[in-house]
Amino acid sequence: MKKFLIVASITVMGCAGPRTVAPVAIYDFGSQRLSVGVNSADTPERLRLPASLLVAEVTAPAWLDNTAIQYRLAYDDLAQSHAYASHRWAASPATLLTQRIRNLLAVISDGGVVSTADGARTDHILRIELGEFTQVFDTPDQSRVVVRFRASLIDRATRSVIAQRSFSGEQPAPSPNAKGAVRSLTDSSDKLIAELIGWLAEEIKEKDGPG
């Protein structure tokens, strides 16, 4: 009887022991260079910004305002959003986009790029609203990413909207998992930022005219 009790006690202790928890993988956009050449000394003149610009923090809906890597199952219920359990962004997608956009615009702006925390006066304000930043599974083995945001260029002196445009991009993910989502979401974001830069340069030069 004693022997049985000892074995039973060991078994219970073993079940109650610490469980191995899988580590959480953390991702950001990386430090790769854009393929459009906006982060070099050879930036084409058409892409250079002649005015100073305040880049406000990118805003996002509540369901995107976190560090989760979101995905949807189009073959089941496209309206429902899911999140990977053991994979996360280093910061919210809105924060990562804000940093990426500021860093790249600072290189091509002749007037300078600042954040709201700087308190400096600028010619224009750029506001961006992130609408979608997810991986979509059309089948269990095939997925794509969807990135959408709306940009507003505002005259800081008059607070009037100079121009507004929606940007949207989709592309296949190289693998139907979190790593594939991260890679394609980063790539798709950079392509849209390149479009954003071209749009900003055109709108600012059209408003301000040759300096």
Side-chain angles (χ1 to χ4, degrees):
M1 186 63 177
K2 283 185 177 182
K3 184 176 181 180
F4 171 78
L5 290 174
I6 292 173
V7 172
S9 177
I10 293 174
T11 302
V12 172
M13 290 176 63
C15 293
R19 296 181 179 180
T20 302
V21 179
V24 176
I26 306 296
Y27 301 90
D28 58 23
F29 285 178
S31 58
Q32 64 267 36
R33 298 164 64 89
L34 277 182
S35 60
V36 293
V38 299
N39 49 354
S40 71
D42 301 323
T43 302
E45 184 60 31
R46 64 181 177 80
L47 293 179
R48 298 205 65 83
L49 303 182
S52 58
L53 187 66
L54 184 152
V55 180
E57 297 288 338
V58 175
T59 60
W63 66 273
L64 261 180
D65 194 18
N66 53 66
T67 60
I69 299 175
Q70 309 274 359
Y71 66 91
R72 300 178 186 273
L73 306 178
Y75 59 87
D76 180 32
D77 185 359
L78 188 58
Q80 187 174 4
S81 178
H82 306 269
Y84 286 101
S86 57
H87 299 77
R88 293 282 188 275
W89 292 111
S92 69
T95 298
L96 293 174
L97 273 175
T98 301
Q99 295 171 344
R100 192 76 156 170
I101 291 170
R102 281 178 183 160
N103 290 341
L104 293 172
L105 286 178
V107 176
I108 64 170
S109 174
D110 296 328
V113 170
V114 301
S115 69
T116 51
D118 295 325
R121 292 198 59 82
T122 58
D123 299 309
H124 306 295
I125 301 173
L126 174 65
R127 297 192 185 279
I128 294 177
E129 302 167 70
L130 182 62
E132 190 78 22
F133 199 83
T134 55
Q135 179 182 28
V136 178
F137 284 84
D138 295 307
T139 71
D141 299 322
Q142 291 186 329
S143 68
R144 54 191 165 88
V145 299
V146 181
V147 179
R148 297 192 186 102
F149 61 77
R150 182 174 62 182
S152 300
L153 180 62
I154 301 169
D155 184 290
R156 192 164 191 182
T158 63
R159 296 289 175 174
S160 59
V161 176
I162 300 171
Q164 193 172 72
R165 177 178 162 181
S166 293
F167 295 82
S168 179
E170 293 189 24
Q171 67 179 61
S175 56
N177 51 31
K179 289 184 177 180
V182 168
R183 181 173 174 181
S184 285
L185 284 168
T186 301
D187 186 52
S188 185
S189 296
D190 278 351
K191 289 177 180 177
L192 291 183
I193 292 173
E195 291 182 25
L196 172 69
I197 288 173
W199 172 75
L200 280 174
E202 182 179 337
E203 293 295 339
I204 290 176
K205 288 175 181 177
E206 181 178 334
K207 178 187 180 297
D208 296 351

